[in-house]
Amino acid sequence: MTSLQDKIDQFASPLAMLRASQMGPYAFPIAAEFSNWREEQRAWREGVALMDQSFHMTDLYVEGPDVVPFIASLAVNGFNGFGDGKAKQLICCAPNGYLIGDMIILGLGDELVNVIGRPTVANWIEFNASLGHYDVRCDRDERKLDNPKPKKTFRFELQGPKAWPMLEKLHGGTLEQIGFFKMGHIRVGGQEYRTLRHGMGGAPGLEFWGPVEMYDEVKGLLLEAGREFGLKQVGARAYGSATVESGWWGCPFPAIYSDEAMRPFREWLPALSYDGLASLGGSFVSDRIEDYYLTPWDLDYGRLIRFDHDFVGRSALERMAEAPHRKKVSLVIDPDDVAAVYRSQMGDGPKGKAMEEPSAHYAAYPCDAIFNGAGERVGLSCYLNFIAPDRAWVALACVDEAFAEDGTELTLLWGEPDGGSGRPTVEPHVQMQLRGKVTGWPFSQAARSSYRKS
């Protein structure tokens, strides 16, 4: 089997491999739209939105008597008291202290957890389990794009101000108002399913899951009950734009491609894995791969670090703790500059990189440079989305702390250098500047005042 390390060795550098990749943005294997993406965005703000999460995420089941200490050994956040019926974010770093990524972890039993999200962290967990230092075993249910077999479970998320009344109608009575990121139960069609409480748009909502054999029946019941509440199914276009609303940085560039301490992982990971095929795009260009890596503090995860246990990356993070850190912000783009990009698509003259709505992503890892008024690079942006209810283009960015105050004027450089890369998702273009003003995250005021404080 050809490994990721073998593939890297065929290129001048890991960055050369990632920039040469032909992969486009992360794919959500559901219909692009069920109505139109603008109304689907509005549904989680004003009504009830149904998000089908059954197919685009990797589910890694880890089981065994050592499951909690094993997971804790990889997590920068604490796992004291974690177990059956508990849920939390799992944040993992490389030995050098830079982020590999994060996933959601659910306690399904005293010795069983389900870790859910993009494949990268699941790969890291499975590799470490294979080393045999803990009594655990893994059962991987890969995302549908990489899995010819049916998924094991369905997973539906309902969000929006009308979601809770609809859920109670399905349940046939009052649902317990469990706290943010707590697990509970719901009855749908006479069957009981486990739930996870969260609220992407700031209103109470749940996701719940069960055997995939129940997919059609449960979805039918959701659509039927949703008529009364104006339910909208959310397609891939709107779903991919939700990151700016929630402020979740879903695809940090993972610190796996360099550092000798990560070589055994790269030698274990297949070249045709997601991480071996992923692409790097955007206006930020550096010859140092470490310039693309992020620390937990960059994404506001520093507050979650617990130095009360041994974990991969602890020593490096202890050294980083007192250093200056960047801050995650929203950057609201000047509409005149967006209009200039659109205007450039028509008539004669150079064309800017087309801005796909609502998510202007064209690589697995989009990375655009952010500059201050003096032309100095002060940060980077990963997500640029149009939020229809606010009639605004908004970027999720992390910037040097001195430039993170509300109202600070910064510039996002849009498009790739040298006329654009050879990736199929990139047409010939020139770079253009998008001015923006810093504001807080999540961009949704309702979300900022409710679930982020939970």
Side-chain angles (χ1 to χ4, degrees), residues 295-316:
T295 75
W297 290 276
D298 291 339
L299 303 190
D300 197 44
Y301 294 156
R303 59 191 169 85
L304 302 178
I305 298 172
R306 297 292 179 268
F307 293 117
D308 60 359
H309 65 295
D310 290 328
F311 58 87
V312 176
R314 174 176 170 168
S315 297

Side-chain angles (χ1 to χ4, degrees), residues 327-387:
K327 292 187 67 175
K328 183 165 62 172
V329 299
S330 301
L331 189 66
V332 184
I333 304 301
D334 189 308
D336 289 339
D337 287 355
V338 175
V341 175
Y342 281 99
R343 195 179 304 115
S344 75
Q345 309 301 308
M346 297 173 281
D348 298 326
K351 293 179 172 61
K353 175 75 185 76
M355 295 174 66
E356 299 287 345
E357 293 182 335
S359 300
H361 311 154
Y362 52 90
Y365 295 110
C367 190
D368 290 316
I370 305 289
F371 296 92
N372 64 9
E376 301 165 324
R377 186 175 63 82
V378 297
L380 55 88
S381 165
C382 182
Y383 287 113
L384 179 61
N385 293 329
F386 184 73
I387 309 301

Side-chain angles (χ1 to χ4, degrees), residues 157-436:
E157 178 182 352
L158 289 111
Q159 297 289 347
K162 297 181 181 178
W164 207 262
M166 177 185 158
L167 288 162
E168 291 193 325
K169 179 180 178 180
L170 280 164
H171 182 67
T174 301
L175 273 172
E176 179 187 1
Q177 285 277 0
I178 55 178
F180 176 70
F181 241 62
K182 303 297 183 185
M183 290 175 64
H185 297 84
I186 189 173
R187 292 188 68 82
V188 178
Q191 300 291 322
E192 186 169 88
Y193 302 102
R194 300 187 88 163
T195 66
L196 176 65
R197 160 80 167 90
H198 53 95
M200 178 188 64
L206 290 177
E207 66 178 62
F208 68 98
W209 59 93
V212 73
E213 292 78 13
M214 301 298 294
Y215 176 92
D216 290 334
E217 179 179 335
V218 172
K219 187 170 184 180
L221 291 169
L222 292 173
L223 295 176
E224 181 180 350
R227 291 195 189 101
E228 176 186 341
F229 301 92
L231 177 143
K232 298 278 188 188
Q233 294 189 73
V234 175
R237 293 181 73 182
Y239 187 92
S241 72
T243 49
V244 166
E245 292 263 29
S246 64
W248 176 57
W249 199 293
C251 60
F253 185 79
I256 64 172
Y257 295 102
S258 62
D259 194 51
E260 194 62 22
M262 293 296 286
R263 175 178 285 269
F265 175 59
R266 296 192 297 270
E267 292 174 339
W268 174 88
L269 193 63
L272 295 180
S273 64
Y274 175 80
D275 300 300
L277 298 173
S279 57
L280 175 65
S283 65
F284 176 49
V285 176
S286 172
D287 292 331
R288 292 185 69 254
I289 196 167
E290 292 78 13
D291 289 342
Y292 295 86
Y293 293 162
L294 299 166
T295 75
W297 290 276
D298 291 339
L299 303 190
D300 197 44
Y301 294 156
R303 59 191 169 85
L304 302 178
I305 298 172
R306 297 292 179 268
F307 293 117
D308 60 359
H309 65 295
D310 290 328
F311 58 87
V312 176
R314 174 176 170 168
S315 297
L317 291 175
E318 288 176 328
R319 292 191 296 271
M320 292 178 180
E322 300 305 319
H325 301 296
R326 292 180 290 189
K327 292 187 67 175
K328 183 165 62 172
V329 299
S330 301
L331 189 66
V332 184
I333 304 301
D334 189 308
D336 289 339
D337 287 355
V338 175
V341 175
Y342 281 99
R343 195 179 304 115
S344 75
Q345 309 301 308
M346 297 173 281
D348 298 326
K351 293 179 172 61
K353 175 75 185 76
M355 295 174 66
E356 299 287 345
E357 293 182 335
S359 300
H361 311 154
Y362 52 90
Y365 295 110
C367 190
D368 290 316
I370 305 289
F371 296 92
N372 64 9
E376 301 165 324
R377 186 175 63 82
V378 297
L380 55 88
S381 165
C382 182
Y383 287 113
L384 179 61
N385 293 329
F386 184 73
I387 309 301
D390 296 292
R391 302 185 179 188
W393 276 96
V394 183
L396 192 61
C398 71
V399 300
D400 295 346
E401 192 167 6
F403 301 94
E405 291 295 322
D406 279 12
T408 302
E409 295 185 356
L410 298 172
T411 298
L412 186 156
L413 183 60
W414 175 244
E416 296 184 329
D418 304 321
S421 62
R423 196 171 304 108
T425 55
V426 181
E427 74 280 13
H429 65 274
V430 296
Q431 292 181 306
M432 299 183 72
Q433 294 186 351
L434 301 177
R435 293 167 296 169

Side-chain angles (χ1 to χ4, degrees), residues 111-177:
E111 297 185 357
L112 175 64
V113 300
N114 182 16
V115 189
I116 309 155
R118 296 195 179 195
T120 303
V121 171
N123 294 335
W124 176 240
I125 294 170
E126 196 168 7
F127 163 72
N128 280 278
S130 74
L131 300 178
H133 302 319
Y134 292 86
D135 187 359
V136 295
R137 55 194 175 277
C138 295
D139 181 14
R140 190 176 180 115
D141 188 16
E142 191 55 271
R143 64 186 188 136
K144 188 59 181 172
L145 288 170
D146 302 321
N147 186 4
K149 300 181 294 185
K151 289 280 287 180
K152 293 182 178 181
T153 60
F154 70 80
R155 186 176 301 277
F156 294 120
E157 178 182 352
L158 289 111
Q159 297 289 347
K162 297 181 181 178
W164 207 262
M166 177 185 158
L167 288 162
E168 291 193 325
K169 179 180 178 180
L170 280 164
H171 182 67
T174 301
L175 273 172
E176 179 187 1
Q177 285 277 0

